[in-house]
Amino acid sequence: MPKLGMTPIRRQELIEATIETIAELGYQKTTLTHISKRAGLSSGIISHYFGSKQELIEASVRYLIGELKRDLLKSLGEREVSAEERLMLIVEANFSSTQIASANTKNWLTFWSQSMHDPMLKRLQRVNSKRLANNLLFSFKELLPIEQAKKAALTTAAMIDGFWLRFALSHELSMNHQQAIGFCKGYIKQIIESQEVHEIL
């Protein structure tokens, strides 16, 4: 029987081992044996805490999604921020050191690819995409008419995903994550400034 309080620790160790193993070997080649060996635990422990490889993979995706949320909440802190500042922080959170870490980018790419074939991963991918769009819309609604806000939120979300993907797939490109952040922030500023000019006129 596991010691009291060890369950969260063991689960986290297995999730981290899964992320590291998938980053090294790829989704198809990753086995429970590989994961348990990296974690320094027996294969039976995985069944005890997660039931199957699939459940462990899903838990790993939820962990990465949670990391993205934690990055944003950490940047927001408890201070009051304007709608425009909040939009900029959302962009930064999606390109934080956590999100562009090599192992994490490889896992995100893997999960996105697998979501086309796995219903649960597809659901998680949709939840994550919807959360980004809704977070952006919440702030844009304070700055723009509702229809423009919806369009701006969807466009910004697409830019974030697109630039992140471009950065993740090729480090040979001249673009780096700071440039990607700059492009996304530039679009947001342009939309806001256009609305301000329209209101003045």
Side-chain angles (χ1 to χ4, degrees):
M1 178 179 292
K3 294 181 180 178
L4 185 64
M6 290 302 291
T7 295
I9 296 173
R10 290 287 182 260
R11 287 178 62 89
Q12 184 60 29
E13 288 175 341
L14 289 168
I15 287 171
E16 291 175 0
T18 301
I19 291 171
E20 292 168 2
T21 304
I22 289 176
E24 179 184 349
L25 303 177
Y27 182 86
Q28 298 299 334
K29 292 183 179 180
T30 293
T31 65
L32 293 182
T33 300
H34 289 131
I35 294 170
S36 60
K37 184 176 181 180
R38 184 179 290 271
L41 300 168
S42 68
S43 298
I45 289 293
I46 295 177
S47 297
H48 175 76
Y49 288 115
F50 293 98
S52 67
K53 175 184 173 182
Q54 182 63 21
E55 290 182 30
L56 178 52
I57 295 295
E58 291 167 10
S60 299
V61 177
R62 290 191 182 92
Y63 171 75
L64 289 176
I65 292 174
E67 282 287 279
L68 180 55
K69 182 180 179 180
R70 284 187 285 273
D71 284 343
L72 177 58
L73 291 176
K74 182 178 179 181
S75 64
L76 287 171
E78 297 181 0
R79 59 194 175 91
E80 290 291 329
V81 296
S82 68
E84 182 174 349
E85 288 177 309
R86 196 182 308 118
L87 288 167
M88 301 306 178
L89 290 173
I90 291 172
V91 171
E92 291 176 6
N94 279 271
F95 292 94
S96 69
S97 57
T98 302
Q99 298 306 314
I100 63 172
S102 178
N104 287 350
T105 57
K106 290 178 180 177
N107 275 268
W108 275 119
L109 291 171
T110 296
F111 296 144
W112 277 352
S113 175
Q114 288 298 127
S115 70
M116 293 186 290
H117 311 287
D118 185 304
M120 179 56 74
L121 294 183
K122 184 176 184 178
R123 187 187 70 79
L124 290 174
Q125 192 274 331
R126 285 179 174 175
V127 167
N128 190 48
S129 294
K130 187 174 182 180
R131 177 183 294 170
L132 173 59
N134 286 343
N135 283 341
L136 292 166
L137 179 59
F138 177 82
S139 296
F140 272 123
K141 285 194 298 185
E142 296 182 29
L143 303 166
L144 306 170
I146 184 61
E147 291 305 318
Q148 291 183 34
K150 290 178 180 179
K151 182 178 179 180
L154 289 175
T155 303
T156 304
M159 289 182 70
I160 290 172
D161 287 342
F163 281 126
W164 185 94
L165 182 61
R166 188 174 177 84
F167 172 79
L169 286 175
S170 179
H171 289 284
E172 285 74 39
L173 291 172
S174 59
M175 178 186 297
N176 58 41
H177 70 284
Q178 287 300 328
Q179 287 176 307
I181 290 172
F183 284 128
C184 293
K185 286 185 174 182
Y187 169 75
I188 292 171
K189 284 184 175 293
Q190 183 180 10
I191 291 296
I192 294 172
E193 289 170 1
S194 295
Q195 177 61 23
E196 291 174 346
V197 170
H198 177 73
E199 290 176 351
I200 292 174
L201 296 177

